[in-house]
């Protein structure tokens, strides 16, 4: 028998066995609890990278562990298959359709996943570019349209000149396209939106239900941006309108010395028409509209504006204040108009200084002795304080003034309390081909009407020439565009935009539950049994985009009556990146490690074991060739131990073995104790903490203990104990290194797969170490007694003494000056 683990033959052998036996098929046994574990599905680029290997290995350990713990496990995989890369590849190569490119890549990546030994139920597989899937994506859009959650309007949008398509706000990073890093421009287009703002408050409140990292909840909270304030009306005499502004600081209204409008504000045209410098103003507006949002709002950007020639009335002072148009105010935030208080807002202060506008202080900081004077201020002061120059409200603290002025404004019908959100509706229109067509029809007589549900899916046409013109390529297909109105039967045109691919990925986790349902996206009963996802795993970069959209969709689907759950993912693990030489792996840096090469040289179990052992899952992982070698050596060490002792181990029927601690000698007791300590440690690390690295470390320590036992007891080996420990070792190792565990398990004479065997139970009494009693004396007086492990080091003993809550008040800051070990296992700690 070979004295090394021949992974090349063994891994393929067991992968074939698992597939033939449908070992990982989702089974529903009513007496068992259901568990749904899911990793974020990938874009089918054609090749797995090490980040994929890490996230899928994490999910696979959880899935295998939960099956062994007796759960019905749903562990599916699919493909986020629509998107720009497929379309660009087709354009680049000229003769490849995105569909062909995508499906070839799916085939390749699926083979790579199987080579890793991932325990997916492939019968649950979905691909978002499959008509059977996007039929339901289109169905959801229609339900949202019917429930006033989908609408179309013209708006200045983020436009990537390189990708030549619209980007959602979340897809613009530092004024650049997140895909290609091009500078983003602004462009006026008629676009489709989903009303995620209708769920803003529930998206905030729902965080209480989620066992997610706090930083992720905070990121979403900040993105939603809830603000409590007042909506205040400023009369404009010239056009007989009222300018509405939202502010969180009504206490500063007496310091409002000018107004600022976004160039897109609906009152702008009325305000500037007929002004002597109208052409100048319009040129300024055109210039600002061409700027990207990030450029306009960045703290580093110049605050540019122009006077409209019109004035508003401050409703509290009845004074006229000038109305400006400026680049730093956006139509999408609040009302597109602000009251500027330069004394207490740095942005307004900079603008006022630049255009020589008055600055009036109305909040006196508590820590400032001299009265604040706007005319002499060098910068804005946003300190807490009390009101000055505010008529009847002088002397009130900022907090008190908020409520008092709000009450007054509501009474006088000047304004009313209001909650505002930074979150804006989700722009989903994309001017590209490879996406789900938006299922709407435009009729001159009937307006915009949805495609009848019986006619779904609206299929992508094949008779198009892909291009990068920025005009939707669907428009090129006359057969696709020209249709009949489902209402009147007259000639009509189909919508030519496709949906943002984030729409596709906002509900895929539900389709896995019921992938063959032809009547609904998912049945209510199956969703009730399996949803929400118990454990979701994916990168932190998805904290806002995907996770927020998925939560929004889940709430909409609940309100449609299809599911009960409020949230899609009960727990979420954000795994860290895989780095090499301190940097994220990338081709441009030349530090990419090819998973295929690692599988060929070391095998899947080594790759899995290293990537799980090298770092806690939520931390970044530094790739180490030496670490891979170490993982390989450990697996071969396990292999050698078992095959070299196989004859003796196989003489024992472990099912008949009953190990009693009292019947063991000291060496046997220590091995037995180490086994149960390891079972306890691995179980807790996987089940409660997801600390796979420390779980693997514990298994390695157990193997060391086995070797130690064999070396020191070669003439007197307890074969029953050794066989018992060996079987439990393989059960513990199985979720991490499934192939070698399966092979060795069968070598031990078992017919059933190791992955269908019950997870080992630990014996608390057996796992306990011998203890000693520590008596803590201070100045000769006994203060406390504690029990500690008999093999505790003096350093650890000192640490333990200092953290004892009962005696902390006596010994904090003092020094242990003497440790006396008494033969009867009594230790006196004498404290100065």
């Amino acid at each position: 028998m070979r004295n090394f683990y021949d992974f090349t033959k063994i891994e393929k052998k067991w992968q074939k066995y698992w597939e033939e036996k449908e070992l990982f098929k989702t089974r529903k046994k009513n007496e068992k609890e259901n568990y749904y574990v899911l990793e974020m599905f990938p874009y089918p680029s054609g090749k797995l990278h090490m980040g994929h290997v890490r996230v899928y290995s994490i999910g696979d350990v959880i899935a295998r562990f939960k099956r062994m713990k007796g759960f019905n496990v749903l562990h599916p995989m699919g493909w986020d298959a629509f998107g720009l890369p497929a379309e660009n590849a087709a354009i680049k190569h000229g003769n490849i359709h995105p569909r062909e490119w995508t499906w070839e890549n799916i085939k390749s990546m699926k083979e790579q996943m199987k080579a890793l030994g991932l325990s997916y139920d492939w019968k649950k597989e979905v691909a978002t570019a499959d008509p059977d899937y996007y039929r339901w994506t289109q169905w959801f859009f229609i339900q949202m349209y019917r429930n006033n959650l989908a609408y179309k309007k013209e708006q200045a949008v983020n436009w990537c000149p390189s990708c030549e398509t619209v980007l959602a706000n979340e897809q613009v990073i530092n004024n650049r396209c997140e895909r290609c890093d091009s500078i983003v421009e602004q462009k006026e287009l008629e676009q489709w939106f989903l009303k995620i703002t209708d769920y803003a408050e529930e998206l905030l409140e729902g965080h209480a239900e989620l066992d997610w990292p706090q930083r992720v909840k905070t990121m979403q909270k900040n993105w939603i941006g809830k603000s409590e304030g007042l909506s205040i009306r400023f009369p404009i005499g010239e056009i007989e309108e009222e300018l509405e502004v939202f502010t969180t600081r009504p206490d500063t209204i007496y310091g409002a010395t000018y107004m600022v409008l976004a160039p897109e504000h609906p009152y702008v045209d009325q305000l500037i028409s007929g002004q002597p410098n109208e052409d100048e103003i319009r040129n300024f507006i055109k210039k600002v509209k061409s700027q990207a949002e990030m450029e306009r709002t960045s703290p580093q950007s110049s605050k540019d504006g122009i006077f409209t020639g019109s004035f508003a009335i401050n409703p509290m002072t009845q004074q006229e204040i000038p109305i400006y148009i400026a680049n730093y105010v956006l139509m999408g935030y609040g009302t597109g108009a602000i009251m500027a208080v330069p004394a207490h807002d740095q942005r307004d202060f900079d603008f006022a200084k630049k255009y020589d506008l008055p600055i009036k202080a109305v909040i006196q900081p508590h820590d400032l002795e001299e009265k604040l004077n706007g005319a002499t201020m060098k910068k804005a002061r946003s300190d807490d304080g009390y009101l000055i120059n505010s008529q009847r409200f002088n002397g009130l603290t900022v907090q008190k003034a908020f409520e008092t002025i709000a009450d007054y404004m509501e009474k006088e019908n000047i304004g009313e309390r209001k909650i505002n959100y930074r979150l804006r509706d989700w722009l989903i229109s994309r001017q590209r081909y490879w996406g789900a067509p938006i299922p709407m029809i435009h009729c001159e007589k009937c307006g915009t009407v949805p495609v009848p549900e019986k006619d779904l899916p609206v299929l992508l046409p094949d008779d198009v020439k892909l291009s990068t013109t920025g005009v939707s390529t669907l428009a090129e297909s006359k057969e696709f565009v020209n249709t009949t109105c489902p209402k009147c039967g007259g000639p009509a045109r189909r919508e030519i935009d496709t949906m943002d691919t984030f729409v596709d990925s906002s509900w895929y986790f539900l389709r896995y539950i019921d992938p063959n349902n032809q009547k609904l996206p998912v049945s209510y009963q199956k969703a009730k049994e399996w949803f929400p996802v118990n454990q979701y795993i994916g990168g932190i970069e998805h904290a806002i985009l995907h996770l927020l959209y998925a939560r929004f969709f889940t709430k909409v689907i609940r309100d449609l009556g299809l599911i009960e759950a409020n949230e899609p993912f009960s727990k979420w693990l954000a795994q860290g990146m895989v780095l090499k030489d301190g940097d994220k792996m990338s081709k441009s840096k030349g530090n990419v490690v090819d998973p295929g090469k690692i599988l060929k040289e070391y095998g899947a179990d080594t790759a899995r074991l290293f990537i799980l052992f090298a770092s806690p899952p939520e931390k970044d992982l530094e790739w180490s060739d030496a670490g891979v070698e170490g993982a390989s050596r450990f697996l071969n060490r396990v292999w050698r131990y078992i095959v070299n002792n196989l004859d003796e181990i196989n003489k024992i029927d472990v099912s008949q073995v009953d190990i009693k601690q009292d019947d063991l000698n000291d060496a046997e007791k220590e091995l037995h104790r180490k086994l149960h300590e390891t079972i306890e440690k691995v179980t807790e690390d996987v089940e409660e903490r997801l600390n796979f690295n420390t779980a693997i470390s514990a298994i390695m320590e157990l193997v060391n203990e086995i070797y130690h036992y064999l070396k020191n007891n070669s003439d007197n080996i307890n074969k029953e104990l050794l066989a018992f420990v060996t079987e439990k070792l393989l059960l513990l190792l199985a979720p991490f290194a499934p192939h070698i565990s399966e092979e060795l398990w069968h070598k031990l004479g078992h017919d059933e797969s190791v992955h269908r065997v019950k997870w080992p139970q630990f014996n608390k009494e057996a796992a306990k170490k011998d203890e000693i009693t520590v008596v803590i004396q201070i100045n000769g007086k006994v203060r406390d007694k504690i029990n500690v492990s008999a093999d505790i080091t003096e350093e650890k003993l000192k640490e333990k003494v200092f953290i004892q809550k009962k005696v902390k008040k006596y010994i904090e800051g003092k020094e242990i000056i003497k440790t006396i070990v008494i033969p009867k296992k009594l230790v006196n700690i004498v404290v100065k």
Side-chain angles (χ1 to χ4, degrees), residues 73-133:
V73 173
L74 173 59
H75 187 215
M77 179 48 67
W79 313 97
D80 193 6
F82 274 137
L84 201 59
E87 192 167 338
N88 287 342
I91 295 168
K92 180 179 179 181
H93 298 292
N95 59 351
I96 298 177
H97 192 280
R99 187 180 296 109
E100 179 184 341
W101 188 86
T102 299
W103 257 256
E104 280 297 318
N105 286 350
I106 286 174
K107 180 182 177 183
S108 174
M109 291 180 73
K110 190 172 178 180
E111 290 173 357
Q112 293 168 59
M113 288 180 174
K114 288 183 176 181
L116 274 168
L118 302 171
S119 61
Y120 294 129
D121 180 356
W122 286 108
K123 292 187 180 300
K124 299 287 188 180
E125 180 182 11
V126 301
T128 60
D130 187 332
D132 186 57
Y133 182 90

Side-chain angles (χ1 to χ4, degrees), residues 436-455:
I438 295 175
M440 302 300 287
I441 293 172
H442 304 289
C443 172
E444 287 189 11
K445 181 180 178 181
C446 304
T448 301
V449 294
V451 172
E453 292 179 21
K454 65 180 179 61
D455 294 336

Side-chain angles (χ1 to χ4, degrees), residues 30 123 126-127 176 265 278 393 623 640 741 758 831:
N30 291 330
K123 292 187 180 300
V126 301
R176 292 182 178 272
H265 195 283
E278 181 179 343
F393 304 104
W623 182 265
R640 287 194 303 274
S741 302
K758 189 176 180 181
V831 180

Side-chain angles (χ1 to χ4, degrees), residues 175 183-184 290-298 301-302 327:
N175 202 32
I183 296 290
V184 173
S290 69
Q291 294 176 331
E293 183 176 307
M294 185 64 68
E295 183 183 354
R296 289 171 59 176
T297 59
S298 170
S301 297
S302 173
N327 60 349

Side-chain angles (χ1 to χ4, degrees), residues 171-233:
Q171 294 167 310
V172 180
I173 310 298
N174 295 326
N175 202 32
R176 292 182 178 272
C177 172
E178 69 166 359
R179 297 177 183 139
C180 68
D181 206 37
S182 296
I183 296 290
V184 173
E185 301 172 353
Q186 293 294 294
K187 192 171 185 176
E188 292 282 342
L189 287 175
E190 202 172 25
Q191 304 284 288
W192 283 98
F193 294 81
L194 298 182
K195 292 185 73 174
I196 190 172
T197 52
D198 277 13
Y199 288 82
E201 188 62 30
E202 193 179 349
L203 287 167
L204 284 172
E205 292 176 351
H207 285 143
E209 295 184 34
L210 303 176
D211 185 2
W212 288 14
Q214 187 56 47
R215 64 170 175 156
V216 175
K217 294 182 185 180
T218 300
M219 289 167 72
Q220 287 199 359
K221 180 181 178 181
N222 292 339
W223 187 262
I224 295 168
K226 181 178 180 180
S227 300
E228 297 184 17
L230 257 72
S231 177
I232 305 172
R233 292 177 288 277

